Amino acid sequence: MPSNTMLSRMLDAGANLTVDGALATELEAHGCDLEDPLWSAKVLLEQPQLVKRVHHDYFRAGAAVAITASYQATPRGFARRGIGEEEALERVALSVRLADEARREYMAENPDAGPLLVAGSVGPYGAYLADGSEYRGDYVLSRNEFLEFHRPRIAALVEAGADFLACETLPSLPEAEALLALMKEFDVEAWLSFTLRDGGHISDGTPLAQAAKLFTAEPLVAAIGVNCVPLELVSPSLEALGRATDTPLIAYPNSGESYDAVTKTWGPAAASPSAPDSKRPASLAEGTPIWRELGARLVGGCCRTTPQDIAAVTALSETHKPE
């Protein structure tokens, strides 16, 4: 087992945890222009203290987990801007320090806030491509190529002191398997969260049940679930996962709007015939009690969600503690 298993220990003790919400959305609300392949990682170069401020806002809203601004922070991504690997990895490490500083400052103001965790974000290879591939899973790399891409960032996150990894927005089972190998290499626990083709399949077409069974016996996988998916697909996906595994579940969907990866714009949600009306909550707040009942031990928000949404999730989660 890894030396730091705080997430697993908290989940084993019966905790329901609130994950933070969208980082990029809040950075844009503070005036950042994120029309850039680096996305929120751009702010690590230009206004790092603003990243800390957003983390602090989410802690104040009740989040117990802060996800670092390293989703698109990779040596290859920074190289496009003429930044060398050493500086790139320093920026990855900075993402952990900023979240930790926000945590320490919030705990100094609120000493009874309870354990707060920092999750080192590990976005998929598709995020580096910056073309929406993380929602399609249509890229093909060898196992060694995945390992070479992800290893430097994971090493930097672990060395900087992330409590665990958030291997998130994963569209591909082979990529998730490569990340599991790196978790073992660095002896670090993580959650694995996938994007979806529909309520029963991840984006590359792999059945959720197959993915769940593959990772169930892995002690370093603290939780498994979905993120940056439409609200209406959360319940079907949790049901599929719950039937296949007893690993704690996680869900942090987007706001319910629909993202166009070509125009990089958001619009009204498109109804899915695969999700009955009863499983189409209108918001995180409406969905949270349902997802908690379906076994989601960690609930938060992804794109287009705000501290106000997370405050609502926190309030509702407190009334839905596990038996």
Side-chain angles (χ1 to χ4, degrees):
M1 289 294 292
S3 58
N4 188 338
T5 57
M6 184 175 291
L7 176 60
S8 292
R9 285 187 281 114
M10 291 177 70
L11 294 173
D12 289 345
N16 276 333
L17 301 178
T18 300
V19 180
D20 64 9
L23 182 65
T25 300
E26 284 301 291
L27 291 172
E28 288 176 326
H30 288 293
C32 295
D33 179 4
L34 301 185
E35 287 294 325
D36 189 285
L38 285 175
W39 202 35
S40 56
K42 174 188 176 188
V43 187
L44 293 173
L45 298 172
E46 299 174 349
Q47 300 182 73
Q49 291 304 305
L50 189 53
V51 173
K52 184 173 80 169
R53 175 178 173 180
V54 173
H55 284 314
H56 193 280
D57 288 344
Y58 277 117
F59 283 135
R60 188 164 52 224
V65 181
I67 303 175
T68 63
S70 53
Y71 177 80
Q72 265 169 280
T74 63
R76 292 190 198 178
F78 282 122
R80 291 170 171 165
R81 298 282 289 271
I83 296 170
E85 182 168 357
E86 183 176 351
E87 182 180 349
L89 294 177
E90 165 57 27
R91 296 295 168 168
V92 173
L94 175 62
S95 73
V96 178
R97 293 198 300 272
L98 292 169
D100 182 53
E101 288 172 13
R103 167 173 59 183
R104 291 174 184 274
E105 291 177 8
Y106 183 75
M107 288 295 293
E109 301 163 0
N110 302 272
D112 298 325
L116 302 178
L117 306 178
V118 172
S121 175
V122 180
Y125 182 81
Y128 155 72
L129 297 176
D131 64 357
S133 294
E134 61 263 61
Y135 304 105
R136 302 190 304 270
D138 55 1
Y139 51 87
V140 179
L141 279 75
S142 70
R143 178 183 176 88
N144 282 339
E145 287 172 328
F146 277 129
L147 293 174
E148 290 171 5
F149 176 78
H150 287 294
R151 183 179 284 114
R153 173 173 49 181
I154 288 177
L157 290 169
V158 171
E159 185 175 348
D163 294 316
F164 63 95
L165 304 179
C167 298
E168 55 181 351
T169 328
L170 302 176
S172 157
L173 187 62
E175 187 165 18
E177 291 176 308
L179 287 168
L180 176 62
L182 290 170
M183 291 160 57
K184 293 178 179 179
E185 179 179 325
F186 289 96
D187 195 29
V188 59
E189 69 177 359
W191 74 51
L192 300 175
S193 57
F194 295 92
T195 59
L196 298 174
R197 175 176 295 184
D198 55 42
H201 298 82
I202 67 177
S203 293
D204 71 355
T206 302
L208 271 169
Q210 178 183 334
K213 289 176 181 177
L214 180 64
F215 298 115
T216 291
E218 298 293 345
L220 291 174
V221 177
I224 187 169
V226 297
N227 79 284
C228 211
V229 301
L231 294 168
E232 64 193 45
L233 292 185
V234 177
S235 291
S237 66
L238 291 176
E239 289 173 345
L241 289 167
R243 288 191 294 267
T245 184
D246 57 3
T247 300
L249 303 183
I250 179 170
Y252 52 116
N254 58 41
S255 64
E257 297 163 277
S258 178
Y259 182 65
D260 186 322
V262 176
T263 63
K264 300 187 186 302
T265 58
W266 291 86
S272 169
S274 65
D277 289 341
S278 62
K279 295 179 181 177
R280 294 177 182 161
S283 65
L284 286 183
E286 187 175 311
T288 293
I290 301 169
W291 306 330
R292 290 295 191 195
E293 292 295 334
L294 290 172
R297 304 289 301 286
L298 300 107
V299 175
C302 205
C303 294
R304 307 281 282 185
T305 60
T306 68
Q308 290 73 30
D309 292 313
I310 297 309
V313 169
T314 301
L316 289 162
S317 296
E318 290 174 351
T319 64
H320 285 79
K321 297 187 181 300
E323 295 294 331

